């Protein structure tokens, strides 16, 4: 019996020592001490963007609780998680965000909503007149189709098996996901995102009930002729141009499809860049280990961060040094 009690004491002391070690690591390391290149490689964003986010997130994030974690440490942990795609224990072992898995889970949930508020500021369907004209020229050059300003596509973001209605999240490729609608412009900027729908929902259904369709429908009714390109899974509408189904080889329809594909390629590139920047979305060997609602907030936030990177001219090609080391 005495041995049993001693074992408990030893285990408790070990846990306390680990907590002290993590706390000391947090206090004595500063991610801002990294070089600019190393910072981008680790966080996918620049130091200046990080500081802007730190100043902009809600003041409630700065509250110190039992773990004594500052707002900067909380933001650091969350951004590293978005960028690396590691599970919570992976983030906890990182040299500049020493944090237990349960602690990180609380930190993420407490920090996510303030970060999510960025979506309204950085994701917007409205374009200036010069943006519209530039987009139309780009898409006409690529596809020969007039008045195109954006492209739409759906992409699956892998999540853990939900507790409620799990079968609705099981997609045709037999994994649990959120079927996310993505709309982009000619600069790979994400103009709209809808991460509300389970993986079993078809792209066409998500489009029919989306605010994007209502937006382009409203523009059309007001006399504007702005259009959007979508693949064959979308319905043909005056404001949505899709390819022809099963055209004869060498026909005018087949030639149209080739040009259409050249124009629509930008949305596939956008999704690829977005998921490469923020590996938590990649889904190759991992999934978002959260419920659908929290996963949706993560998806939206990463879209906003993607646009912030574009606005600040952070080239996505330069962020893969750490990824190549993992191959």
């Amino acid at each position: 019996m005495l041995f049993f009690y001693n074992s408990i004491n030893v285990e408790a002391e070990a846990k306390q020592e680990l907590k002290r070690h993590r706390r000391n690591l947090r206090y004595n390391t500063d991610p801002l001490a990294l070089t600019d290149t190393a910072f981008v490689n680790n966080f996918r964003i620049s130091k200046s963007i990080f500081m802007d986010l730190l100043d902009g997130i809600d003041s409630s994030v700065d509250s110190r609780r039992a773990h004594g974690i500052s707002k900067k440490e909380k933001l650091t942990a969350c951004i590293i998680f978005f960028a690396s795609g590691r599970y919570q224990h992976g983030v906890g072992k990182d040299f500049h965000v020493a944090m237990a898995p349960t602690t990180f889970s609380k930190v993420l949930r407490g920090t996510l909503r303030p970060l999510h508020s960025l979506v309204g500021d950085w994701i917007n369907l409205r374009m200036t007149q010069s943006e519209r004209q530039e987009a139309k020229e780009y898409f006409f050059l690529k596809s020969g189709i007039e008045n195109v300003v954006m492209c739409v596509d759906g992409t699956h973001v892998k999540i853990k098996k939900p507790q409620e209605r799990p079968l609705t999240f099981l997609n045709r490729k037999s994994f649990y996901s959120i079927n996310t609608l993505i709309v982009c412009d000619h600069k790979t900027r994400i103009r709209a995102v809808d991460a509300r729908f389970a993986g079993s929902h078809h792209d066409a259904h998500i489009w029919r009930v989306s605010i994007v369709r209502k937006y382009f429908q409203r523009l059309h009714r007001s006399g504007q002729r702005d259009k959007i390109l979508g693949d064959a899974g979308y319905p043909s509408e005056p404001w949505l141009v899709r390819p022809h189904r099963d055209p004869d080889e060498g026909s005018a329809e087949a030639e149209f499809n080739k040009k259409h594909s050249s124009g629509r390629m930008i949305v596939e590139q956008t999704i690829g860049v977005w998921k490469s920047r923020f590996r938590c979305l990649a889904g190759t060997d991992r999934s978002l280990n959260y419920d659908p609602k929290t996963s949706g907030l993560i998806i939206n936030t990463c879209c906003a961060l993607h646009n912030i990177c574009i606005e600040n001219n952070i080239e996505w090609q330069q962020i893969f040094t750490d990824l190549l080391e993992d191959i």
Side-chain angles (χ1 to χ4, degrees), residues 242-255:
R242 47 164 282 178
H244 299 282
R245 287 187 181 273
D246 303 320
D248 294 330
E249 185 175 353
S251 64
E253 289 80 6
E255 184 62 26

Side-chain angles (χ1 to χ4, degrees), residues 55 109 156:
D55 292 338
R109 295 179 188 280
H156 289 268

Side-chain angles (χ1 to χ4, degrees), residues 40-77:
V40 172
N41 283 341
N42 279 273
F43 290 87
R44 310 297 192 258
I45 61 177
S46 66
K47 292 181 183 180
S48 60
I49 294 173
F50 181 88
M51 292 306 299
D52 287 342
L53 294 176
L54 194 60
D55 292 338
I57 57 179
D58 190 86
S59 59
S60 64
V61 176
D62 202 18
S63 60
R64 291 176 176 268
R65 298 187 179 180
H67 299 287
I69 302 172
S70 69
K71 181 170 71 172
K72 183 167 76 171
E73 291 161 352
K74 293 174 181 178
L75 182 60
T76 298

Side-chain angles (χ1 to χ4, degrees), residues 17 37 48 75 79 92 120 130 140 160 167 172 195 227 236 243 252 260 263 287 294 296 303 305 314:
E17 179 61 28
T37 300
S48 60
L75 182 60
I79 300 298
S130 61
F140 183 76
K160 72 173 183 179
L167 288 181
R172 66 182 185 277
K227 297 177 182 178
S236 179
H260 182 283
S287 63
T294 301
C303 285
L305 292 174
I314 297 179

